[in-house]
Coordinates of all heavy atoms in Angstrom, one line a residue:
M690 N -73.7 -83.8 -6.7 CA -74.8 -82.9 -6.4 C -75.5 -82.6 -7.7 O -74.9 -82.4 -8.7 CB -74.3 -81.6 -5.8 CG -75.4 -80.6 -5.5 SD -74.8 -79.1 -4.6 CE -74.2 -78.1 -5.9
C691 N -76.8 -82.5 -7.6 CA -77.7 -82.3 -8.8 C -78.3 -80.9 -8.6 O -78.8 -80.6 -7.6 CB -78.7 -83.3 -8.9 SG -79.7 -83.3 -10.4
V692 N -78.2 -80.1 -9.6 CA -78.8 -78.7 -9.6 C -80.0 -78.7 -10.5 O -79.9 -79.1 -11.7 CB -77.7 -77.7 -10.0 CG1 -78.4 -76.3 -10.1 CG2 -76.6 -77.7 -9.0
G693 N -81.1 -78.2 -10.0 CA -82.3 -78.0 -10.9 C -82.2 -76.8 -11.7 O -81.8 -75.7 -11.3
V694 N -82.5 -77.0 -13.0 CA -82.4 -75.9 -14.0 C -83.8 -75.7 -14.5 O -84.5 -76.6 -15.1 CB -81.5 -76.3 -15.1 CG1 -81.4 -75.2 -16.2 CG2 -80.1 -76.6 -14.6
P695 N -84.3 -74.4 -14.4 CA -85.6 -74.1 -15.0 C -85.5 -74.0 -16.5 O -84.5 -73.4 -17.1 CB -86.0 -72.8 -14.4 CG -84.7 -72.1 -14.0 CD -83.7 -73.3 -13.7
M696 N -86.5 -74.5 -17.2 CA -86.6 -74.5 -18.7 C -88.0 -74.3 -19.1 O -88.9 -74.6 -18.4 CB -86.0 -75.7 -19.3 CG -84.6 -76.0 -19.0 SD -84.0 -77.4 -20.0 CE -82.5 -77.7 -19.2
Q697 N -88.2 -73.7 -20.3 CA -89.5 -73.5 -20.8 C -89.7 -74.4 -22.0 O -88.9 -74.5 -22.9 CB -89.7 -72.0 -21.2 CG -91.1 -71.7 -21.6 CD -91.3 -70.2 -21.8 OE1 -90.5 -69.5 -22.3 NE2 -92.5 -69.7 -21.4
I698 N -90.8 -75.1 -22.0 CA -91.2 -76.1 -23.0 C -91.4 -75.3 -24.3 O -92.2 -74.4 -24.4 CB -92.4 -76.9 -22.7 CG1 -92.2 -77.7 -21.4 CG2 -92.8 -77.8 -23.8 CD1 -91.2 -78.8 -21.4
L699 N -90.7 -75.7 -25.4 CA -90.9 -75.2 -26.7 C -91.9 -76.0 -27.5 O -92.9 -75.4 -28.1 CB -89.6 -75.1 -27.5 CG -88.5 -74.2 -26.9 CD1 -87.2 -74.3 -27.7 CD2 -89.0 -72.8 -26.8
F700 N -91.7 -77.3 -27.5 CA -92.7 -78.2 -28.1 C -92.6 -79.6 -27.5 O -91.6 -79.9 -26.9 CB -92.7 -78.2 -29.7 CG -91.3 -78.5 -30.2 CD1 -90.9 -79.8 -30.5 CD2 -90.4 -77.5 -30.5 CE1 -89.7 -80.1 -31.0 CE2 -89.2 -77.7 -31.1 CZ -88.8 -79.0 -31.3
R701 N -93.6 -80.4 -27.7 CA -93.7 -81.7 -27.0 C -94.3 -82.7 -28.0 O -95.1 -82.4 -28.8 CB -94.6 -81.5 -25.8 CG -95.0 -82.8 -25.1 CD -96.0 -82.7 -24.0 NE -97.3 -82.1 -24.4 CZ -98.2 -82.8 -24.9 NH1 -98.1 -84.1 -25.2 NH2 -99.4 -82.3 -25.2
E702 N -93.8 -83.9 -27.8 CA -94.4 -85.1 -28.4 C -94.5 -86.2 -27.4 O -93.4 -86.7 -27.0 CB -93.6 -85.5 -29.7 CG -94.3 -86.6 -30.4 CD -93.5 -86.9 -31.7 OE1 -93.0 -86.0 -32.3 OE2 -93.5 -88.1 -32.1
D703 N -95.7 -86.5 -27.0 CA -95.9 -87.5 -26.0 C -95.1 -87.1 -24.7 O -95.4 -86.0 -24.2 CB -95.5 -88.9 -26.4 CG -96.3 -89.4 -27.6 OD1 -97.5 -89.1 -27.6 OD2 -95.8 -90.1 -28.5
L704 N -94.2 -88.0 -24.2 CA -93.5 -87.7 -23.0 C -92.1 -87.2 -23.2 O -91.2 -87.3 -22.3 CB -93.5 -88.9 -22.0 CG -94.9 -89.3 -21.5 CD1 -94.8 -90.5 -20.6 CD2 -95.5 -88.1 -20.7
A705 N -91.9 -86.6 -24.3 CA -90.6 -86.0 -24.6 C -90.8 -84.6 -25.1 O -91.9 -84.3 -25.7 CB -89.8 -86.7 -25.7
A706 N -90.0 -83.7 -24.7 CA -90.1 -82.3 -25.1 C -88.8 -81.6 -25.4 O -87.8 -82.1 -24.9 CB -90.8 -81.5 -23.9
T707 N -88.9 -80.6 -26.2 CA -87.7 -79.7 -26.4 C -88.0 -78.5 -25.5 O -89.0 -77.9 -25.6 CB -87.5 -79.3 -27.9 OG1 -87.3 -80.5 -28.6 CG2 -86.4 -78.4 -28.0
A708 N -87.0 -78.2 -24.7 CA -87.1 -77.1 -23.8 C -85.9 -76.1 -23.9 O -84.8 -76.6 -24.3 CB -87.2 -77.6 -22.3
F709 N -86.1 -74.9 -23.5 CA -85.1 -73.9 -23.6 C -84.7 -73.3 -22.3 O -85.5 -73.0 -21.5 CB -85.6 -72.7 -24.5 CG -84.6 -71.7 -24.9 CD1 -83.5 -72.0 -25.6 CD2 -84.7 -70.4 -24.5 CE1 -82.5 -71.1 -26.0 CE2 -83.8 -69.4 -24.9 CZ -82.7 -69.8 -25.6
D710 N -83.4 -73.3 -22.0 CA -82.9 -72.8 -20.7 C -82.4 -71.4 -20.7 O -81.9 -70.9 -19.7 CB -81.8 -73.7 -20.1 CG -80.5 -73.6 -21.0 OD1 -80.4 -72.8 -21.9 OD2 -79.6 -74.4 -20.7
G711 N -82.7 -70.7 -21.8 CA -82.2 -69.3 -22.0 C -81.0 -69.2 -22.9 O -80.7 -68.1 -23.4
T712 N -80.3 -70.3 -23.0 CA -79.1 -70.4 -23.9 C -79.2 -71.5 -24.9 O -78.9 -71.3 -26.1 CB -77.8 -70.6 -23.0 OG1 -77.8 -69.5 -22.0 CG2 -76.6 -70.4 -23.8
H713 N -79.6 -72.7 -24.4 CA -79.6 -73.9 -25.3 C -80.9 -74.6 -25.3 O -81.6 -74.5 -24.3 CB -78.5 -74.8 -24.9 CG -77.1 -74.3 -24.9 ND1 -76.5 -73.7 -23.8 CD2 -76.2 -74.2 -25.9 CE1 -75.3 -73.3 -24.2 NE2 -75.1 -73.6 -25.4
K714 N -81.2 -75.3 -26.3 CA -82.3 -76.2 -26.4 C -81.9 -77.6 -25.9 O -80.8 -78.0 -26.1 CB -82.9 -76.4 -27.8 CG -83.5 -75.1 -28.3 CD -83.9 -75.3 -29.8 CE -84.5 -74.0 -30.3 NZ -84.9 -74.2 -31.7
H715 N -82.8 -78.3 -25.1 CA -82.5 -79.6 -24.6 C -83.7 -80.5 -24.8 O -84.9 -80.1 -24.8 CB -82.3 -79.5 -23.1 CG -81.2 -78.5 -22.7 ND1 -79.9 -79.0 -22.5 CD2 -81.2 -77.2 -22.4 CE1 -79.2 -77.9 -22.1 NE2 -79.9 -76.9 -22.1
L716 N -83.4 -81.8 -25.0 CA -84.4 -82.8 -25.0 C -84.7 -83.2 -23.6 O -83.8 -83.6 -22.9 CB -84.0 -84.0 -25.9 CG -85.0 -85.2 -26.0 CD1 -86.2 -84.7 -26.7 CD2 -84.3 -86.3 -26.7
I717 N -86.0 -83.2 -23.2 CA -86.4 -83.4 -21.8 C -87.4 -84.5 -21.7 O -88.3 -84.6 -22.5 CB -87.0 -82.1 -21.2 CG1 -86.0 -80.9 -21.2 CG2 -87.4 -82.3 -19.7 CD1 -84.7 -81.2 -20.4
D718 N -87.2 -85.4 -20.8 CA -88.1 -86.5 -20.5 C -89.2 -86.0 -19.5 O -88.9 -85.4 -18.5 CB -87.3 -87.6 -19.8 CG -88.1 -88.8 -19.3 OD1 -89.4 -88.8 -19.5 OD2 -87.5 -89.8 -18.8
L719 N -90.4 -86.2 -19.9 CA -91.6 -85.7 -19.1 C -92.3 -86.8 -18.3 O -93.4 -86.6 -17.9 CB -92.6 -85.0 -20.1 CG -92.1 -83.8 -20.9 CD1 -93.2 -83.3 -21.8 CD2 -91.6 -82.7 -19.9
A720 N -91.6 -87.9 -18.1 CA -92.3 -89.1 -17.5 C -92.7 -88.7 -16.1 O -93.8 -89.2 -15.6 CB -91.3 -90.3 -17.4
L721 N -92.0 -87.9 -15.3 CA -92.4 -87.5 -14.0 C -93.5 -86.5 -13.9 O -94.2 -86.4 -12.8 CB -91.2 -87.1 -13.2 CG -90.1 -88.1 -13.0 CD1 -88.9 -87.5 -12.2 CD2 -90.6 -89.3 -12.2
T722 N -93.6 -85.6 -14.9 CA -94.6 -84.6 -14.9 C -95.9 -84.9 -15.7 O -96.9 -84.3 -15.5 CB -94.1 -83.3 -15.4 OG1 -93.6 -83.4 -16.7 CG2 -92.9 -82.8 -14.5
G723 N -95.7 -85.8 -16.6 CA -96.8 -86.0 -17.6 C -96.7 -85.0 -18.7 O -95.8 -84.1 -18.6
P724 N -97.5 -85.1 -19.7 CA -97.4 -84.1 -20.8 C -97.7 -82.7 -20.3 O -98.6 -82.5 -19.5 CB -98.5 -84.6 -21.8 CG -98.8 -86.0 -21.4 CD -98.5 -86.1 -19.9
V725 N -96.9 -81.8 -20.8 CA -97.1 -80.3 -20.5 C -97.1 -79.6 -21.8 O -96.5 -80.0 -22.7 CB -96.1 -79.8 -19.5 CG1 -96.3 -80.4 -18.1 CG2 -94.7 -80.0 -19.9
E726 N -97.8 -78.5 -21.8 CA -98.0 -77.7 -23.0 C -96.8 -76.8 -23.3 O -96.2 -76.3 -22.3 CB -99.3 -76.9 -22.9 CG -100.5 -77.8 -22.9 CD -100.6 -78.8 -24.0 OE1 -100.4 -78.4 -25.2 OE2 -100.9 -80.0 -23.8
P727 N -96.6 -76.4 -24.5 CA -95.6 -75.4 -24.8 C -95.8 -74.1 -24.1 O -97.0 -73.7 -23.9 CB -95.7 -75.2 -26.4 CG -96.3 -76.5 -26.8 CD -97.2 -77.0 -25.7
G728 N -94.7 -73.5 -23.6 CA -94.8 -72.3 -22.8 C -94.8 -72.6 -21.3 O -94.5 -71.7 -20.6
T729 N -95.0 -73.8 -20.9 CA -94.9 -74.2 -19.5 C -93.5 -74.2 -19.0 O -92.6 -74.6 -19.7 CB -95.5 -75.6 -19.3 OG1 -96.9 -75.6 -19.8 CG2 -95.5 -76.0 -17.9
W730 N -93.3 -73.7 -17.8 CA -92.0 -73.8 -17.2 C -91.9 -75.0 -16.3 O -92.8 -75.4 -15.6 CB -91.8 -72.5 -16.3 CG -91.5 -71.3 -17.0 CD1 -92.4 -70.4 -17.5 CD2 -90.2 -70.8 -17.5 NE1 -91.8 -69.4 -18.1 CE2 -90.4 -69.6 -18.2 CE3 -88.9 -71.3 -17.3 CZ2 -89.4 -68.9 -18.7 CZ3 -87.9 -70.6 -17.9 CH2 -88.1 -69.4 -18.6
I731 N -90.7 -75.7 -16.4 CA -90.4 -76.9 -15.7 C -89.1 -76.8 -15.0 O -88.2 -76.0 -15.4 CB -90.4 -78.1 -16.6 CG1 -89.5 -77.9 -17.7 CG2 -91.8 -78.5 -17.1 CD1 -89.2 -79.2 -18.6
L732 N -88.9 -77.5 -13.9 CA -87.7 -77.6 -13.2 C -87.1 -78.9 -13.6 O -87.7 -80.0 -13.4 CB -87.8 -77.5 -11.7 CG -86.5 -77.3 -10.9 CD1 -85.7 -76.1 -11.3 CD2 -86.8 -77.3 -9.4
T733 N -85.9 -78.9 -14.2 CA -85.3 -80.1 -14.7 C -84.0 -80.6 -13.9 O -83.3 -79.7 -13.4 CB -84.9 -80.0 -16.2 OG1 -83.8 -79.0 -16.3 CG2 -86.0 -79.5 -17.0
F734 N -83.8 -81.8 -13.9 CA -82.6 -82.4 -13.3 C -82.1 -83.5 -14.2 O -82.9 -84.5 -14.5 CB -83.0 -83.1 -11.9 CG -83.4 -82.1 -10.9 CD1 -84.7 -81.6 -10.8 CD2 -82.4 -81.6 -10.0 CE1 -85.0 -80.7 -9.8 CE2 -82.8 -80.7 -9.0 CZ -84.1 -80.3 -8.9
L735 N -80.9 -83.4 -14.7 CA -80.3 -84.4 -15.6 C -81.2 -84.8 -16.7 O -81.3 -86.0 -17.0 CB -79.9 -85.6 -14.7 CG -78.9 -85.3 -13.6 CD1 -78.7 -86.5 -12.7 CD2 -77.5 -84.8 -14.2
G736 N -81.8 -83.8 -17.4 CA -82.6 -84.1 -18.6 C -84.0 -84.6 -18.3 O -84.7 -85.0 -19.2
T737 N -84.4 -84.5 -17.1 CA -85.8 -85.0 -16.7 C -86.5 -83.8 -16.0 O -86.0 -83.2 -15.1 CB -85.7 -86.2 -15.8 OG1 -85.0 -87.3 -16.5 CG2 -87.1 -86.7 -15.4
A738 N -87.8 -83.6 -16.5 CA -88.6 -82.6 -15.8 C -89.1 -83.2 -14.5 O -89.6 -84.3 -14.4 CB -89.8 -82.2 -16.6
R739 N -88.8 -82.5 -13.4 CA -89.2 -83.0 -12.1 C -90.5 -82.4 -11.6 O -91.3 -83.1 -11.0 CB -88.1 -82.7 -11.0 CG -88.4 -83.3 -9.7 CD -87.3 -83.1 -8.7 NE -87.9 -83.0 -7.4 CZ -88.1 -81.9 -6.7 NH1 -87.8 -80.7 -7.2 NH2 -88.7 -81.9 -5.5
E740 N -90.8 -81.1 -12.0 CA -92.0 -80.5 -11.6 C -92.3 -79.3 -12.5 O -91.4 -78.7 -13.1 CB -92.0 -80.1 -10.1 CG -91.0 -79.0 -9.8 CD -91.0 -78.6 -8.3 OE1 -92.0 -78.0 -7.9 OE2 -90.0 -79.0 -7.6
V741 N -93.6 -78.9 -12.5 CA -94.0 -77.7 -13.2 C -93.9 -76.6 -12.2 O -94.3 -76.7 -11.1 CB -95.5 -77.9 -13.7 CG1 -96.0 -76.6 -14.3 CG2 -95.6 -79.0 -14.7
I742 N -93.3 -75.5 -12.7 CA -93.1 -74.3 -11.8 C -93.7 -73.1 -12.5 O -93.9 -73.1 -13.7 CB -91.6 -74.1 -11.4 CG1 -90.8 -73.9 -12.7 CG2 -91.1 -75.2 -10.6 CD1 -89.3 -73.5 -12.3
S743 N -93.9 -72.0 -11.7 CA -94.4 -70.8 -12.3 C -93.3 -70.0 -13.0 O -92.1 -70.3 -12.7 CB -95.0 -69.9 -11.2 OG -93.9 -69.4 -10.4
E744 N -93.6 -69.1 -13.9 CA -92.6 -68.3 -14.5 C -91.8 -67.5 -13.5 O -90.6 -67.3 -13.6 CB -93.2 -67.3 -15.5 CG -92.2 -66.5 -16.3 CD -92.9 -65.6 -17.3 OE1 -94.1 -65.4 -17.3 OE2 -92.1 -65.0 -18.1
E745 N -92.5 -67.0 -12.5 CA -91.9 -66.2 -11.4 C -90.8 -67.0 -10.7 O -89.7 -66.6 -10.5 CB -92.9 -65.7 -10.4 CG -92.3 -64.9 -9.3 CD -93.3 -64.5 -8.2 OE1 -94.5 -64.9 -8.3 OE2 -92.9 -63.8 -7.3
E746 N -91.1 -68.3 -10.4 CA -90.2 -69.1 -9.7 C -89.0 -69.5 -10.6 O -87.8 -69.5 -10.2 CB -90.9 -70.4 -9.2 CG -90.0 -71.3 -8.4 CD -89.7 -70.8 -7.0 OE1 -90.4 -69.8 -6.5 OE2 -88.8 -71.3 -6.4
A747 N -89.3 -69.7 -11.9 CA -88.2 -70.0 -12.9 C -87.2 -68.8 -13.0 O -86.0 -69.0 -13.0 CB -88.8 -70.3 -14.2
L748 N -87.7 -67.6 -13.0 CA -86.9 -66.5 -13.1 C -86.0 -66.3 -11.9 O -84.9 -65.9 -11.9 CB -87.7 -65.2 -13.4 CG -88.4 -65.3 -14.8 CD1 -89.3 -64.0 -15.0 CD2 -87.4 -65.5 -15.9
K749 N -86.6 -66.5 -10.7 CA -85.8 -66.5 -9.4 C -84.7 -67.5 -9.4 O -83.6 -67.2 -9.1 CB -86.7 -66.7 -8.2 CG -87.6 -65.6 -7.8 CD -88.4 -66.0 -6.6 CE -89.4 -65.0 -6.2 NZ -90.2 -65.4 -5.0
I750 N -85.0 -68.7 -9.9 CA -83.9 -69.7 -9.9 C -82.9 -69.4 -10.9 O -81.7 -69.5 -10.7 CB -84.6 -71.1 -10.2 CG1 -85.5 -71.5 -9.1 CG2 -83.5 -72.1 -10.4 CD1 -86.4 -72.7 -9.4
Q751 N -83.3 -68.9 -12.1 CA -82.3 -68.5 -13.1 C -81.4 -67.4 -12.6 O -80.2 -67.4 -12.8 CB -83.0 -68.0 -14.4 CG -83.6 -69.1 -15.2 CD -84.3 -68.6 -16.5 OE1 -84.8 -67.5 -16.5 NE2 -84.4 -69.4 -17.5
K752 N -82.0 -66.4 -11.9 CA -81.2 -65.3 -11.3 C -80.2 -65.8 -10.3 O -79.0 -65.4 -10.3 CB -82.1 -64.3 -10.7 CG -81.5 -63.0 -10.4 CD -82.6 -62.0 -10.0 CE -82.0 -60.6 -10.0 NZ -83.0 -59.6 -9.6
A753 N -80.6 -66.8 -9.4 CA -79.7 -67.3 -8.4 C -78.6 -68.1 -9.1 O -77.4 -68.0 -8.7 CB -80.5 -68.2 -7.5
L754 N -78.9 -68.9 -10.1 CA -77.9 -69.7 -10.8 C -76.9 -68.8 -11.5 O -75.7 -69.0 -11.5 CB -78.5 -70.7 -11.8 CG -79.3 -71.8 -11.2 CD1 -80.0 -72.6 -12.3 CD2 -78.4 -72.7 -10.4
G755 N -77.4 -67.7 -12.0 CA -76.5 -66.7 -12.6 C -75.6 -66.0 -11.6 O -74.4 -65.8 -11.9
G756 N -76.1 -65.8 -10.4 CA -75.3 -65.2 -9.3 C -74.2 -66.1 -8.9 O -73.1 -65.7 -8.6
L757 N -74.5 -67.4 -8.8 CA -73.5 -68.4 -8.4 C -72.5 -68.5 -9.5 O -71.3 -68.6 -9.1 CB -74.2 -69.8 -8.2 CG -75.1 -69.9 -6.9 CD1 -75.8 -71.2 -6.9 CD2 -74.3 -69.6 -5.7
A758 N -72.8 -68.5 -10.7 CA -71.8 -68.5 -11.8 C -70.9 -67.3 -11.7 O -69.7 -67.5 -11.9 CB -72.5 -68.6 -13.2
A759 N -71.5 -66.2 -11.5 CA -70.7 -64.9 -11.3 C -69.7 -65.1 -10.2 O -68.5 -64.7 -10.3 CB -71.6 -63.7 -11.1
L760 N -70.2 -65.6 -9.0 CA -69.3 -65.8 -7.9 C -68.2 -66.7 -8.2 O -67.0 -66.5 -7.8 CB -70.2 -66.3 -6.7 CG -69.5 -66.3 -5.4 CD1 -69.1 -64.9 -4.9 CD2 -70.4 -67.0 -4.3
M761 N -68.5 -67.8 -8.9 CA -67.4 -68.8 -9.2 C -66.4 -68.2 -10.2 O -65.2 -68.6 -10.2 CB -68.1 -70.0 -9.8 CG -68.8 -70.8 -8.8 SD -69.8 -72.2 -9.3 CE -69.0 -72.8 -10.8
E762 N -66.8 -67.1 -10.9 CA -65.8 -66.5 -11.8 C -65.1 -65.3 -11.1 O -64.4 -64.6 -11.8 CB -66.6 -66.0 -13.0 CG -67.1 -67.1 -13.9 CD -68.1 -66.6 -15.0 OE1 -68.4 -65.4 -15.0 OE2 -68.6 -67.4 -15.7
G763 N -65.4 -65.1 -9.8 CA -64.8 -64.0 -9.1 C -65.5 -62.7 -9.2 O -65.0 -61.7 -8.7
R764 N -66.7 -62.7 -9.7 CA -67.4 -61.5 -9.8 C -68.4 -61.4 -8.7 O -68.6 -62.3 -7.9 CB -68.2 -61.5 -11.2 CG -67.3 -61.4 -12.4 CD -68.0 -61.3 -13.7 NE -68.7 -62.6 -14.0 CZ -70.0 -62.7 -14.3 NH1 -70.8 -61.6 -14.2 NH2 -70.5 -63.9 -14.6
D765 N -69.1 -60.2 -8.6 CA -70.0 -60.0 -7.5 C -71.3 -60.7 -7.8 O -71.7 -60.9 -8.9 CB -70.3 -58.4 -7.4 CG -71.1 -58.1 -6.3 OD1 -70.6 -58.2 -5.1 OD2 -72.3 -57.7 -6.5
L766 N -72.0 -61.1 -6.7 CA -73.3 -61.8 -6.8 C -74.4 -60.9 -7.3 O -75.4 -61.3 -7.9 CB -73.7 -62.2 -5.4 CG -73.3 -63.6 -4.9 CD1 -73.7 -63.7 -3.4 CD2 -73.9 -64.7 -5.7
G767 N -74.2 -59.6 -7.1 CA -75.2 -58.6 -7.5 C -76.5 -58.8 -6.6 O -76.4 -59.1 -5.5
D768 N -77.6 -58.8 -7.3 CA -78.9 -59.0 -6.5 C -79.5 -60.4 -6.8 O -80.7 -60.6 -6.7 CB -79.9 -57.9 -6.8 CG -80.4 -57.9 -8.3 OD1 -79.7 -58.7 -9.1 OD2 -81.3 -57.3 -8.6
A769 N -78.6 -61.4 -7.0 CA -79.1 -62.7 -7.4 C -80.0 -63.3 -6.3 O -80.8 -64.2 -6.6 CB -77.9 -63.6 -7.7
F770 N -79.8 -62.9 -5.0 CA -80.5 -63.5 -3.9 C -81.4 -62.4 -3.2 O -81.6 -62.5 -2.0 CB -79.6 -64.2 -3.0 CG -79.0 -65.5 -3.6 CD1 -77.7 -65.4 -4.2 CD2 -79.6 -66.7 -3.7 CE1 -77.1 -66.4 -4.8 CE2 -79.0 -67.8 -4.3 CZ -77.8 -67.7 -4.8
A771 N -81.8 -61.4 -4.0 CA -82.5 -60.3 -3.3 C -83.8 -60.8 -2.7 O -84.2 -60.2 -1.7 CB -82.8 -59.2 -4.4
D772 N -84.4 -61.8 -3.2 CA -85.6 -62.3 -2.6 C -85.4 -62.9 -1.2 O -86.4 -63.1 -0.5 CB -86.3 -63.4 -3.5 CG -85.5 -64.6 -3.8 OD1 -84.3 -64.4 -4.1 OD2 -86.0 -65.7 -3.7
L773 N -84.2 -63.2 -0.8 CA -83.9 -63.7 0.5 C -83.4 -62.7 1.5 O -83.3 -62.9 2.7 CB -82.8 -64.8 0.4 CG -83.2 -66.0 -0.5 CD1 -82.0 -67.0 -0.6 CD2 -84.4 -66.7 0.0
D774 N -83.1 -61.5 1.0 CA -82.6 -60.4 1.8 C -83.7 -60.0 2.8 O -84.9 -60.0 2.5 CB -82.2 -59.1 1.0 CG -80.9 -59.3 0.3 OD1 -80.2 -60.2 0.6 OD2 -80.6 -58.5 -0.6
N775 N -83.3 -59.8 4.0 CA -84.3 -59.3 5.1 C -85.4 -60.4 5.4 O -86.5 -60.0 5.8 CB -84.9 -58.0 4.8 CG -83.8 -56.9 4.6 OD1 -82.9 -56.8 5.4 ND2 -83.9 -56.1 3.6
R776 N -85.1 -61.6 5.1 CA -86.1 -62.7 5.4 C -85.5 -63.6 6.4 O -84.4 -64.0 6.4 CB -86.3 -63.4 4.1 CG -87.5 -64.4 4.2 CD -87.6 -65.2 3.0 NE -87.4 -66.6 3.4 CZ -87.2 -67.6 2.5 NH1 -87.3 -67.4 1.2 NH2 -87.0 -68.8 2.9
E777 N -86.3 -63.9 7.4 CA -85.9 -64.8 8.5 C -85.9 -66.2 7.9 O -86.8 -66.6 7.2 CB -86.9 -64.7 9.7 CG -86.8 -63.4 10.4 CD -85.4 -63.2 11.1 OE1 -84.9 -64.2 11.7 OE2 -84.8 -62.1 11.0
P778 N -85.0 -67.1 8.3 CA -85.0 -68.5 7.9 C -86.3 -69.1 8.4 O -86.8 -68.8 9.5 CB -83.8 -69.1 8.6 CG -82.9 -68.0 9.0 CD -83.9 -66.8 9.2
Q779 N -86.8 -70.1 7.7 CA -88.1 -70.8 8.0 C -87.8 -72.2 8.2 O -87.2 -72.9 7.3 CB -89.2 -70.5 7.0 CG -89.6 -69.0 6.9 CD -90.6 -68.8 5.8 OE1 -90.8 -69.6 4.9 NE2 -91.2 -67.7 5.8
L780 N -88.2 -72.8 9.3 CA -88.1 -74.3 9.5 C -89.2 -75.0 8.7 O -90.4 -74.4 8.6 CB -88.2 -74.6 10.9 CG -87.0 -74.2 11.8 CD1 -87.3 -74.4 13.3 CD2 -85.7 -74.9 11.4
P781 N -89.0 -76.2 8.3 CA -90.1 -77.0 7.7 C -91.1 -77.2 8.9 O -90.8 -77.2 10.0 CB -89.4 -78.3 7.3 CG -88.0 -78.0 7.3 CD -87.7 -76.9 8.2
P782 N -92.4 -77.4 8.5 CA -93.4 -77.6 9.5 C -93.2 -78.6 10.6 O -93.4 -78.4 11.8 CB -94.7 -78.0 8.7 CG -94.4 -77.4 7.3 CD -92.9 -77.5 7.1
H783 N -92.6 -79.8 10.3 CA -92.3 -80.8 11.3 C -91.3 -80.3 12.3 O -91.4 -80.7 13.5 CB -92.0 -82.1 10.6 CG -90.6 -82.2 10.0 ND1 -90.4 -81.6 8.8 CD2 -89.5 -82.7 10.3 CE1 -89.2 -81.7 8.4 NE2 -88.6 -82.4 9.4
L784 N -90.3 -79.6 11.8 CA -89.3 -79.1 12.8 C -89.8 -77.9 13.6 O -89.5 -77.8 14.8 CB -88.0 -78.7 12.0 CG -87.2 -79.8 11.3 CD1 -86.0 -79.2 10.6 CD2 -86.8 -80.8 12.4
Q785 N -90.7 -77.1 13.0 CA -91.3 -76.0 13.7 C -92.2 -76.5 14.8 O -92.1 -76.0 16.0 CB -92.1 -75.1 12.8 CG -92.7 -73.9 13.4 CD -91.7 -72.9 14.0 OE1 -90.7 -72.6 13.4 NE2 -91.9 -72.5 15.2
A786 N -92.9 -77.6 14.6 CA -93.7 -78.3 15.6 C -92.9 -78.8 16.7 O -93.2 -78.7 17.9 CB -94.6 -79.4 15.0
A787 N -91.7 -79.4 16.4 CA -90.8 -80.0 17.4 C -90.2 -78.8 18.2 O -90.1 -79.0 19.5 CB -89.7 -80.8 16.7
L788 N -89.9 -77.8 17.6 CA -89.4 -76.6 18.3 C -90.4 -76.0 19.3 O -90.1 -75.7 20.5 CB -88.9 -75.5 17.4 CG -88.3 -74.2 18.0 CD1 -87.0 -74.6 18.7 CD2 -88.0 -73.2 16.9
A789 N -91.6 -75.9 18.8 CA -92.7 -75.4 19.7 C -93.0 -76.3 20.9 O -93.3 -75.8 22.0 CB -94.0 -75.3 18.9
K790 N -92.7 -77.6 20.7 CA -92.9 -78.6 21.9 C -91.6 -78.6 22.7 O -91.6 -79.4 23.7 CB -93.2 -79.9 21.3 CG -94.6 -80.1 20.7 CD -94.7 -81.5 20.2 CE -96.0 -81.8 19.5 NZ -96.2 -83.1 19.0
G791 N -90.6 -78.0 22.3 CA -89.3 -78.0 23.1 C -88.6 -79.3 22.8 O -87.8 -79.7 23.7
E792 N -88.8 -80.0 21.7 CA -88.2 -81.3 21.4 C -86.9 -81.1 20.6 O -86.6 -82.0 19.8 CB -89.2 -82.2 20.7 CG -90.4 -82.5 21.5 CD -91.4 -83.3 20.7 OE1 -91.2 -83.5 19.5 OE2 -92.4 -83.7 21.3
T793 N -86.2 -80.0 20.7 CA -85.0 -79.9 19.9 C -83.8 -80.0 20.8 O -83.8 -79.8 22.0 CB -85.0 -78.5 19.2 OG1 -85.1 -77.5 20.2 CG2 -86.2 -78.4 18.3
T794 N -82.6 -80.3 20.2 CA -81.4 -80.3 20.9 C -80.5 -79.2 20.4 O -80.6 -78.8 19.2 CB -80.7 -81.6 20.8 OG1 -80.4 -81.9 19.4 CG2 -81.5 -82.8 21.3
A795 N -79.7 -78.7 21.3 CA -78.8 -77.6 20.9 C -77.5 -78.1 20.4 O -77.0 -79.2 20.7 CB -78.5 -76.6 22.0

């Protein structure tokens, strides 16, 4: 399983960048996103930037990852998933359309 980690670009040279995950600096490949400017938040997988994300999204992901780490250590999740509390699950558009047509199986 691959987990996306949000990082902020510190500096860049062509399609390589140094990014910070809040604890460590990492060398990141920017081939999938193209050049991005310092200060930009990216979602990384195995040393490669997959997409540019907002700071708000990066902070939500960092909080969720912190909550999972706490849970694995036997601690409480805290409010790591507060953005999901009291929210109904949402189907992807193609599944919602199939449900609306009655094309689902139980």
